[in-house]
C-alpha cells in the first residue's frame, strides 16, 4: 500500500490567527506542530499497513515541514516551483490520499483562516458549477487517478464542509471555530493521538471509500478579488472573461484543468500589484 499526505498549516491544532503564521517566533512553533501532526498521520499509515508514504508540504511557499523532525520512513515533497501545487508527486500508483491540517474555503463560513489556495487573489472557485475548496478540488484530482480521499483533519466547520462532498471520509476535529480569526483549541498531543487512530481506521475502510470523480469535460470558474488579477489571466487564450473579476475555462480532464487553474492563480498573484512591477531590467 502506498499513501499520499497533503499537509497544510491553517488547520492544525493551536492555530487561530494569521499572526501566528507570519510572526517568525510563532511561525517556528507551528511548523513544529505541523510536522508532529504529519508524523501522527505517517505513524497511522504504517501501522495500518502502508509500505510507502509521500508527504507534500502544501502551505505558503510549501517548505514548512521540518525534514529533520519528520518520520524517516516518509519522503517529503518541499519547495514551491511545482506544476501540481499541493499534489506534486501524486500519480496513479497511490492507493489513498490523506489531508492533514487543511481549512475551509474562501467566504463559506467562519472556518479558521478560511481561503481557497491563494487568499490574496481568489474569492471563489467552482468546478462544473459547484463551489469547491482546496480539499474537494484535490480530492477530484486524486479521484481522476482512481485514488480515494480517506482522511481529513482541521476545524469543525471545515470538516462539516468537506463531508458534504466526501461523506465517507474519516476525520479529526482539531479545534472549534469561533470566528475566522478565533478558535477553541484542543491540546496538540490529544489531536496527534486521534489523527494516528483515525488514519488507521481510514485504511481499514479504504476499499469501501469511492474515489471522487467527474466524468467528461471540466469547467473551472474563478472569481478573483481584483479586476487586474482576472484580466491578466486572459493572456491565456483558453481563458474567457465572464465579468470584470470572473474567468472561465474548460479542459478535457481533471489533471489538465488543475494545472490550468494553478497557472491562472500564479498569474493572478503576480498581477495583484502589477506584473513585472519589481523588475528593472
Amino acid at each position: 500500500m502506498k499513501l499520499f499526505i497533503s499537509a497544510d498549516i491553517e488547520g492544525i491544532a493551536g492555530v487561530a490567527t494569521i499572526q501566528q503564521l507570519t510572526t517568525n517566533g510563532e511561525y517556528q512553533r507551528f511548523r513544529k506542530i505541523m510536522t508532529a501532526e504529519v508524523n501522527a498521520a505517517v505513524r497511522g499509515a504504517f501501522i495500518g499497513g502502508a509500505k510507502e508514504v509521500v508527504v507534500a508540504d502544501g502551505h505558503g511557499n510549501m517548505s514548512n515541514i521540518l525534514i529533520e523532525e519528520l518520520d524517516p520512513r516518509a519522503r517529503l515533497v518541499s519547495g514551491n516551483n511545482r506544476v501540481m501545487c499541493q499534489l506534486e508527486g501524486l500519480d496513479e500508483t497511490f492507493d489513498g490520499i490523506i489531508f492533514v491540517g487543511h481549512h475551509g474555503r474562501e467566504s463559506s463560513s467562519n472556518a479558521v483562516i478560511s481561503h481557497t489556495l491563494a487568499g490574496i487573489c481568489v474569492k471563489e472557485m467552482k468546478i462544473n458549477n459547484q463551489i469547491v475548496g482546496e480539499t474537494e478540488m484535490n480530492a477530484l484530482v486524486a479521484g481522476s487517478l482512481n485514488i480515494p480521499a480517506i482522511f481529513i483533519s482541521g476545524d469543525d466547520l471545515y470538516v462539516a464542509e468537506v463531508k458534504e462532498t466526501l461523506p465517507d471520509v474519516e476525520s479529526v476535529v482539531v479545534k472549534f471555530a469561533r470566528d475566522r480569526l478565533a478558535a477553541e483549541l484542543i491540546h496538540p498531543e490529544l489531536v496527534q493521538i486521534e489523527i494516528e487512530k483515525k488514519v488507521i481506521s481510514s485504511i481499514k475502510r479504504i476499499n469501501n471509500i469511492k474515489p471522487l470523480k467527474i466524468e467528461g469535460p471540466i469547467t473551472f470558474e474563478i472569481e478573483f478579488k481584483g479586476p487586474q488579477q482576472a484580466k491578466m489571466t486572459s493572456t491565456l487564450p483558453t481563458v474567457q472573461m465572464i465579468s470584470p473579476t470572473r474567468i472561465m475555462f474548460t479542459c478535457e480532464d481533471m489533471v489538465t484543468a488543475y494545472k490550468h487553474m494553478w497557472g491562472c492563480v500564479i498569474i493572478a498573484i503576480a498581477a495583484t500589484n502589477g506584473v513585472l512591477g519589481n523588475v528593472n531590467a
Side-chain angles (χ1 to χ4, degrees):
M1 181 179 293
K2 185 177 179 182
L3 297 175
F4 191 91
I5 298 175
S6 174
D8 210 338
I9 202 169
E10 289 90 353
I12 65 166
V15 171
T17 71
I18 294 170
Q19 286 78 8
Q20 287 173 306
L21 305 179
T22 55
T23 304
N24 186 53
E26 287 289 279
Y27 167 64
Q28 297 304 329
R29 285 178 61 210
F30 289 105
R31 291 180 74 188
K32 291 177 72 69
I33 297 174
M34 179 187 185
T35 305
E37 286 193 17
V38 168
N39 279 340
V42 172
R43 286 194 302 274
F46 280 104
I47 292 169
K51 302 301 181 187
E52 192 173 348
V53 174
V54 174
V55 178
D57 189 329
H59 171 71
N61 66 10
M62 297 186 272
S63 55
N64 309 275
I65 293 170
L66 300 168
I67 184 61
E68 65 273 25
E69 295 186 15
L70 184 67
D71 189 313
R73 294 172 294 180
R75 297 196 304 277
L76 177 64
V77 180
S78 185
N80 51 18
N81 253 23
R82 308 181 187 179
V83 296
M84 287 293 286
C85 192
Q86 293 175 323
L87 299 179
E88 190 72 25
L90 185 72
D91 60 32
E92 63 280 348
T93 65
F94 286 87
D95 298 291
I97 186 168
I98 289 166
F99 297 95
V100 173
H102 280 248
H103 51 80
R105 57 182 174 255
E106 178 81 19
S107 303
S108 64
S109 68
N110 280 332
V112 177
I113 317 180
S114 56
H115 64 281
T116 303
L117 209 59
I120 193 172
C121 65
V122 176
K123 186 174 182 181
E124 182 181 83
M125 282 204 193
K126 289 184 177 181
I127 296 177
N128 287 13
N129 211 37
Q130 294 295 313
I131 297 173
V132 296
E134 293 171 26
T135 299
E136 299 96 322
M137 181 165 45
N138 290 332
L140 280 166
V141 175
S144 74
L145 300 172
N146 212 35
I147 301 166
I150 64 173
F151 173 89
I152 60 173
S153 68
D155 71 59
D156 59 322
L157 297 183
Y158 158 77
V159 168
E161 181 180 288
V162 172
K163 279 183 170 286
E164 292 176 5
T165 304
L166 297 167
D168 296 327
V169 72
E170 288 280 355
S171 62
V172 170
V173 171
V174 309
K175 56 197 166 194
F176 298 91
R178 295 291 175 254
D179 180 81
R180 186 172 181 269
L181 299 175
E184 181 179 327
L185 305 174
I186 302 171
H187 196 283
E189 290 181 6
L190 298 179
V191 167
Q192 291 158 31
I193 291 169
E194 280 300 301
I195 288 174
E196 182 178 321
K197 283 186 353 187
K198 288 294 185 72
V199 167
I200 295 169
S201 297
S202 73
I203 293 169
K204 290 178 180 177
R205 297 177 49 241
I206 195 167
N207 292 327
N208 298 319
I209 302 176
K210 293 182 180 180
L212 184 65
K213 294 185 179 185
I214 296 176
E215 302 298 335
I218 307 297
T219 297
F220 262 86
E221 286 184 39
I222 308 174
E223 183 170 358
F224 293 105
K225 295 182 177 179
Q228 80 281 20
Q229 296 163 336
K231 184 176 181 180
M232 287 307 297
T233 68
S234 69
T235 56
L236 300 174
T238 47
V239 168
Q240 177 186 352
M241 297 276 298
I242 55 178
S243 85
T245 56
R246 187 176 284 264
I247 68 165
M248 180 172 71
F249 60 84
T250 299
C251 298
E252 290 303 309
D253 64 88
M254 190 64 216
V255 171
T256 303
Y258 185 82
K259 291 178 180 179
H260 197 306
M261 172 280 301
W262 181 224
C264 288
V265 170
I266 291 169
I267 292 170
I269 291 170
T272 299
N273 296 313
V275 174
L276 305 182
N278 294 321
V279 175
N280 197 30

